[in-house]
Amino acid sequence: MEPGKNSASARGAIELVSVTKRFGDTVAVRNIDLKIPGGAYCCLLGPSGCGKTTILRMIAGHEDPTDGDVLIDNENVVGKAPVERGTAMMFQSYALFPHLTCRDNVAFNLKVRGVAKAERQERALEMLARVRMREFADRLPAQLSGGQQQRIALARSLITNPRVLLLDEPLSALDEFLRLQMRGELKRIQTEFGISFIHVTHTQMEAIALADMVVVMDQGRIEQADSARHVFERPRTPYVARFIGGQNVMTGKVLERRSGAVLIDTGGKQLLVSAPETLPEIGASFGIAVRRDRVRLQRSEGAPAGSTLNSIGGRVSALEYQGSWLKITIEDAGGEDFVVNEADSTFFATPVEVGDIVSASWAPEEVHYLSAASVSR
Amino acid sequence: MAGPAPAQPQFGKRPKSFYFLAGFFALFVAFLYGPMSAIYILSFQGPTGGLTFPMRGVSLHWFHALFAQERTGDFAGAFARSLLLAALVLSVTVVMSILAGMAFRRRFFGSTFVFYLAIASLIMPGILVGLGIGLTFQLFEIQTSWFTSALGAQLTWTLPFGLLIMFAVLSRFNRAFEEAGRDLGASNWQIFWLVVVPILLPGIIGVALFGFTLSYDEFPRTLLTAGAQNTLPMEIWGMTTNVTSPALYALGTVTTVVSFIAITLALGSIALIQRRRARRPAPETQSGPAA
């Protein structure tokens, strides 16, 4: 589902307006604006301490913003309790109540609302069935595996009939195999319930695989908020390109302007790369990103490198076999790493070895220009 | 088959240090329980027997004698008073320790000072605490009694203990449980009763056990504050000076049994709760759904 595809009917549209959060002297979130369409699967992505969990907790109502407003379906919810907001949160460790059975955990919200016992038990069982855990109703959380606990936590949150479900690193406690399985399960449940999911993670591939919308964060700021495909293919800043991965990022100061190209100094070597129609000024910061799988490796030994357009020369410093492809790391003249992902068939036709001198080149249309302001930062 | 064999746990072959330490431990246990067991055995002394070995027959004679007030003083009354007082101390200690523990989770102004003030009463000599309370009651011309001044004196001893236990229990309590409760629409009161108290229950039982046992055998603080009627430890103290029959030993056996029952009940219920919550998780592969 594309974000906002059915935004007219979908509930749970979220808007953050100039939101700032301070804890004492530290600023966790700096003046953020963000719009998440209703019914979207949105991933907040970033390293630990970037403010993503704080944003989640502010939407959930477990923290109040120091400044700014949080809107859900165009209604300011700052100061309201979680249930009044129509949000529900799934905690990182799930926080299932250890003294209650799965059924009673799921029925907890109904119990505190004063729903009669027979009715709440029945509704809890229905919800357990929807996450395929009905036969575990009488177990205690400690008797369940991580994946099963997560389903119970989901059911417990969903029974409040939220318009937004907030998930704090929901897959981090699971092993690799389960993580992939539960990833699909989360997406299935989100589609089935038709509500917004906001999922905090520090794993790039998790975000790319799940999200309609990826919000990449760093140091309390949003670096880019875009569709998963745009974040991967068209990162706005060097930070996003490096964090999402799969890209070679080259930044430097412009030394010379040629027709359709610039010579840049990366602080160790010079590179001649394609440039946009309006050439940047001499001395300006300039940055590009080229996908690792869109680079061609030339095995011609002793090839002159560096002065050719859109190419780089160096020595193979590492080889990693990945099954269907190989990760070839080249150390260039400036001592920086450049990575080529090459299909296994291409590689094994004419293999290279660690220590070989090679060059790598790419077509002008593969060059992605990074925003100038972000490069100089 | 080449290469070293995988290390197998070797049963039956233990280092010499094991036997040395085991022997030392046996000595310690003998020292701990040896003298007491002499008392337990002698409490079953025959009707014509004396305060020392040898045993002249085996009987329950001295247990009967215990409850005959004219021979040994007011044992039954002291026993009842001690149980009631211990129950009072237990209740106040549990309630106050939970409330204080919850309060101390928020750093309030002067919290460190208040904490050390509470802990200091653990270090103060009990006899002085009792003396102070006794003198103060006298100053204001209030009668000291076991359920007023002695109750207060014992609380100066049990409350800091209870507070320390609650600190340990609450430091391991995950706040996410409370947030989850709030997230699911529970009021603060509901969070407290439906989430916090049940999860902390094993620790709370621990506080109750401390409150009970510390009160049940409390002596120095109670000595000068109990007023006219004795609690059990004071009754025993009195008997050691004027009772010259094995009834004294019978009393020792009875009080020990009561202590053991209290400890067994408390530890048993804690173990039961822990076991119920920590049964082995089901194997992941049998989870069935979405497979």
Side-chain angles (χ1 to χ4, degrees):
Chain A
M1 187 171 61
E2 289 298 311
K5 183 174 125 193
N6 48 358
S7 55
S9 61
R11 303 186 306 155
I14 291 169
E15 193 176 350
L16 304 182
V17 187
S18 335
V19 168
T20 296
K21 178 68 183 178
R22 287 188 207 91
F23 293 105
D25 292 334
T26 40
V27 185
V29 171
R30 290 164 203 270
N31 199 25
I32 272 183
D33 290 292
L34 178 66
K35 273 188 181 177
I36 303 167
Y41 201 119
C42 173
C43 279
L44 301 180
L45 176 65
S48 54
C50 72
K52 57 190 192 300
T53 300
T54 307
I55 289 186
L56 193 79
R57 291 174 57 81
M58 284 192 288
I59 299 172
H62 293 300
E63 302 283 357
D64 284 327
T66 314
D67 258 313
D69 289 325
V70 179
L71 279 68
I72 299 179
D73 291 334
N74 293 319
E75 177 199 357
N76 194 347
V77 294
V78 173
K80 286 193 173 179
V83 170
E84 294 173 314
R85 293 172 182 227
T87 61
M89 183 154 165
M90 206 173 87
F91 292 83
Q92 191 172 0
S93 51
Y94 312 137
L96 292 174
F97 303 130
H99 58 293
L100 298 180
T101 61
C102 293
R103 186 205 319 248
D104 289 343
N105 261 286
V106 174
F108 187 84
N109 166 256
L110 305 177
K111 184 182 168 108
V112 299
R113 276 167 44 201
V115 175
K117 185 163 185 176
E119 189 194 337
R120 65 176 191 248
Q121 299 248 328
E122 194 190 317
R123 283 172 62 186
L125 281 179
E126 276 168 28
M127 188 54 76
L128 281 169
R130 289 184 79 174
V131 296
R132 301 169 184 173
M133 285 296 288
R134 193 178 169 126
E135 66 268 37
F136 295 92
D138 294 319
R139 301 262 191 113
L140 288 163
Q143 295 169 273
L144 301 180
S145 66
Q148 294 168 337
Q149 288 184 8
Q150 185 174 52
R151 287 166 197 271
I152 301 299
L154 263 175
R156 186 177 70 170
S157 295
L158 288 169
I159 209 162
T160 65
N161 192 23
R163 37 187 183 173
V164 181
L165 186 69
L166 303 152
L167 306 103
D168 189 5
E169 309 227 356
L171 303 172
S172 61
L174 306 176
D175 64 41
E176 192 63 34
F177 175 77
L178 260 180
R179 201 176 298 158
L180 294 179
Q181 188 187 325
M182 285 312 295
R183 194 161 93 179
E185 187 78 348
L186 285 178
K187 186 76 187 173
R188 176 186 77 77
I189 289 172
Q190 189 256 342
T191 314
E192 191 185 313
F193 281 77
I195 58 174
S196 306
F197 269 37
I198 303 187
H199 172 139
V200 158
T201 178
H202 56 252
T203 313
Q204 299 86 325
M205 292 329 288
E206 196 172 297
I208 299 273
L210 278 171
D212 303 314
M213 180 181 186
V214 178
V215 179
V216 186
M217 293 193 58
D218 184 36
Q219 295 177 6
R221 286 198 193 83
I222 292 176
E223 287 282 318
Q224 187 168 1
D226 224 327
S227 70
R229 193 168 168 204
H230 278 180
V231 166
F232 184 71
E233 289 190 339
R234 302 218 289 267
R236 200 176 62 81
T237 67
Y239 172 83
V240 175
R242 290 196 178 101
F243 191 75
I244 297 291
Q247 304 267 4
N248 287 295
V249 181
M250 290 159 271
T251 59
K253 292 260 184 282
V254 177
L255 289 176
E256 268 180 55
R257 312 205 305 178
R258 301 187 186 168
S259 63
V262 287
L263 186 70
I264 60 168
D265 177 6
T266 67
K269 62 176 185 299
Q270 294 183 0
L271 269 180
L272 187 63
V273 293
S274 295
E277 263 178 43
T278 48
L279 290 173
E281 298 297 317
I282 302 268
S285 299
F286 185 70
I288 63 164
V290 179
R291 273 171 57 172
R292 291 172 174 180
D293 56 337
R294 299 291 165 85
V295 179
R296 285 186 309 277
L297 194 69
Q298 275 94 35
R299 276 118 173 128
S300 52
E301 208 160 314
S307 53
T308 327
L309 180 65
N310 292 335
S311 82
I312 198 165
R315 197 179 55 83
V316 176
S317 62
L319 278 177
E320 241 178 53
Y321 180 52
Q322 305 277 352
S324 59
W325 53 280
L326 279 100
K327 180 183 174 189
I328 305 158
T329 310
I330 302 165
E331 194 185 319
D332 67 21
E336 283 183 78
D337 281 348
F338 188 93
V339 179
V340 181
N341 292 351
E342 195 169 66
D344 58 336
S345 54
T346 319
F347 178 85
F348 288 117
T350 47
V352 293
E353 282 176 42
V354 171
D356 285 358
I357 304 293
V358 293
S359 65
S361 65
W362 54 92
E365 62 268 23
E366 297 298 345
V367 174
H368 169 70
Y369 304 108
L370 301 170
S371 102
S374 72
V375 174
S376 61
R377 200 164 72 205
Chain B
M1 292 283 277
Q8 294 277 335
Q10 304 238 321
F11 298 106
K13 275 197 172 181
R14 300 187 191 274
K16 276 190 187 128
S17 57
F18 172 82
Y19 294 102
F20 175 75
L21 291 170
F24 190 78
F25 181 69
L27 271 178
F28 171 71
V29 171
F31 181 78
L32 196 63
Y33 289 101
M36 289 299 285
S37 53
I39 286 178
Y40 305 143
I41 294 166
L42 284 171
S43 65
F44 295 97
Q45 182 73 281
T48 57
L51 277 172
T52 52
F53 286 109
M55 297 283 284
R56 294 179 197 276
V58 175
S59 75
L60 293 175
H61 176 82
W62 302 107
F63 290 91
H64 290 293
L66 251 194
F67 292 90
Q69 202 169 332
E70 64 278 7
R71 278 205 59 176
T72 54
D74 182 18
F75 162 75
F79 186 51
R81 277 191 288 279
S82 263
L83 282 182
L84 198 59
L85 180 57
L88 276 174
V89 169
L90 177 158
S91 315
V92 177
T93 305
V94 165
V95 172
M96 297 285 280
S97 299
I98 294 174
L99 296 183
M102 298 291 283
F104 270 104
R105 287 206 299 169
R106 279 182 203 193
R107 283 267 159 250
F108 54 87
F109 178 75
S111 60
T112 316
F113 178 73
V114 173
F115 172 68
Y116 284 120
L117 205 62
I119 297 309
S121 72
L122 280 182
I123 307 157
M124 267 197 286
I127 193 85
L128 288 183
V129 174
L131 183 63
I133 292 172
L135 284 175
T136 311
F137 269 62
Q138 204 175 47
L139 185 69
F140 292 103
E141 294 183 345
I142 308 168
Q143 273 294 318
T144 53
S145 74
W146 61 273
F147 54 87
T148 56
S149 46
L151 172 65
Q154 294 197 347
L155 286 173
T156 67
W157 179 230
T158 59
L159 280 179
F161 263 107
L163 187 61
L164 284 178
I165 297 171
M166 283 313 292
F167 273 17
V169 170
L170 283 166
S171 71
R172 281 178 297 155
F173 181 72
N174 187 353
R175 272 168 194 268
F177 289 130
E178 284 164 288
E179 283 185 345
R182 202 166 101 77
D183 205 75
L184 294 166
S187 65
N188 288 337
W189 191 244
Q190 286 171 321
I191 291 171
F192 181 73
W193 280 112
L194 299 176
V195 178
V196 178
V197 168
I199 292 178
L200 295 184
L201 195 59
I204 293 172
I205 294 173
V207 173
L209 174 67
F210 261 87
F212 185 88
T213 54
L214 288 180
S215 162
Y216 183 66
D217 72 351
E218 215 293 322
F219 187 74
R221 287 165 186 76
T222 321
L223 182 64
L224 298 170
T225 53
Q229 291 174 302
N230 277 347
T231 61
L232 194 57
M234 294 161 66
E235 194 69 21
I236 296 172
W237 177 247
M239 284 169 76
T240 54
T241 54
N242 59 31
V243 176
T244 50
S245 74
L248 183 62
Y249 301 144
L251 175 57
T253 305
V254 169
T255 54
T256 307
V257 166
V258 171
S259 291
F260 266 98
I261 288 171
I263 292 167
T264 311
L265 279 180
L267 296 184
S269 53
I270 290 173
L272 201 72
I273 293 166
Q274 307 280 40
R275 238 210 357 234
R276 207 178 91 86
R277 287 185 197 170
R279 264 176 285 181
R280 300 193 130 254
E284 192 75 60
T285 46
Q286 313 219 330
S287 59

